[in-house]
Amino acid sequence: MAHRPFITYFIVYLTIHKISTKQPHILLIVADDYGFHDIGYHNRDFQTPNLDKLALGGVRLENYYVQPICTPTRSQLLSGRYQLKEAGYSTHAVGKWHLGFYKDDYIPTNRGFDSFFGFLTGGETYYTHYLCYDNKCGTDMRDMTHPTDAYNGTYSTTLFAEKAIDVINNHDEDKPLFLYVPFQAVHAPMEVPEKYMEPYRHINDKFRRMVACMDEAVGNITEAMTKRGFWDDTVLVFTTDNGGEIAAGGNNYPLRGWKHSLWDGGMHAVGFVHSKLIGSQMTGSATMELMHVTDWFPTLVKLAKGNLNGTKPLDGFDQWATISWIPPPEYGLPVRDAHEQTTGLNAKNLWLFNIMKDPTEQHDMSETEPGIVTKMLDKLRDYQKSAVPCVYPKPDPRSDPAKLGGFWGPWE
Ligand SMILES: *[C@@H]1O[C@H](CO)[C@@H](O)[C@H](O)[C@H]1NC(C)=O
Ligand SMILES: *[C@@H]1O[C@H](CO)[C@@H](O)[C@H](O)[C@H]1NC(C)=O
C-alpha cells in the first residue's frame, strides 16, 4: 500500500463515499470443484457466455486462493455469517451446505440464514438427490428444516436456480438481500440434461455440459435480479470452492495439481467480482493482488456495514479497495487451448517455487534458496503453534438415514 500513488487514495475516498449511502445486495455464488481451466475466459474451448460477460465486465481475481477441498473453503467463507443478519440483511441459502448437521444447531437456518433450500451433505446424485456414504444411504434435500423427496427427478442446477429466483422475487425491496448460492455443479457424478449437448456435439464431455447448465443458471439468477431492479446495487462474488477434480472432468491447466492437492491447481482458484459499485476504470480488468477465500467475510461484512467486533480473530482482510481500485497489472496467466495437465507425484515433500515467475510450478528452488525455505518453515511452525488439530470422529451409527425416515439429517 505504501507505494501507491496519491490518485489511488483519492479514488478510494470517492468509492467509499458512494457505497456508504446504501447497503448493497450481495449475491455469493460458489461452484463446486470448478477448475481454473474450466471457464471461457481461461479456455476458449469452454462456452460460458454468462460467466464470461460478468467476469469481463467485472474484476477477475487472478491471484486468488481457496483451500484444496470443499468444507474448509466453505467454513472460511461463512464463519460468523450472523454478522450480516445483524446488519439488517435478509439472508438466504440455496444449494449445498456441507458445514455439519449432526444436530439441529448446525443446520443453515440455525446458523444465520432466514431460509434454506438444498442439501446438507457434500455430494449426491443430481436428479434423485441420493447419497450412499459408509454403507448408509438416503435422500438429501431440504426445504427450510423439512426433508423432502418432492424433487426426485428434478435436476439440481435448474432447481437451485429456480429456488434462488423465488427468493429474489419474494424479497422485500426495502431490505438488503444476502443470497448465497453454492451450486452442486460441477461436482461428480457427471449427470446433465440432454439439452446442454448442443455446443458440444463434437465431443462426448458431460463435464462441459454441466458447466454450460451452471452458466445458464447464473444468467437466469442475474436476470431475475435485474428484472426486480436490484442489479445496479448488487455485488456479485463468484468463486470455486477448490481446484478441479481432474478424475471427474475438471481441469486446472496451466496450473499443476488437482482438488485435494497443495499444488497451485488445488487452491489457485477461479473467482471474480461483478458490480456497478466498482469504479469504471477497474471494470474489465484482472487483478494480480493476492486474495484468499478468508477475505470475503471481512470484505462483505464491511460492504454490508456490518460489525466485525463480535467475531473471533479473523485471518482475512477487507479487500474491497483492492478489488475496486488497483490498476490492472501487466502480468497474467496466459489463456490457452486445452492441453495435457501436469501431474505426477514422487517421494519428495518439500519444494520452493516463485509463483509469480513460475506459475505452473516447474522450477524447484528449494536447494538454491535454503534461506527462504528456512524462513518459510519458521513461519509455518509459528502458524502451527496456534492451529487447532482437525477432529475426525468415527462414523456415528445413529446418522444412518434408515433410522431417520430415509433422509440424511440431524440425528442428535
Ligand atoms: C426417485 O425416483 C426414482 C425413479 O423414479 C426411483 O427409482 C427412486 O426410488 C426414487 N427415490 C426416492 C427416494 O423416492
Ligand atoms: C433458465 O431459464 C430458462 C427460461 O425460463 C429455462 O428454460 C431454463 O431451464 C433455465 N435454466 C436453468 C439452468 O435454470
Side-chain angles (χ1 to χ4, degrees), residues 128 130 139 149 152-153:
T128 55
Y130 201 68
T139 300
D149 55 19
N152 188 4

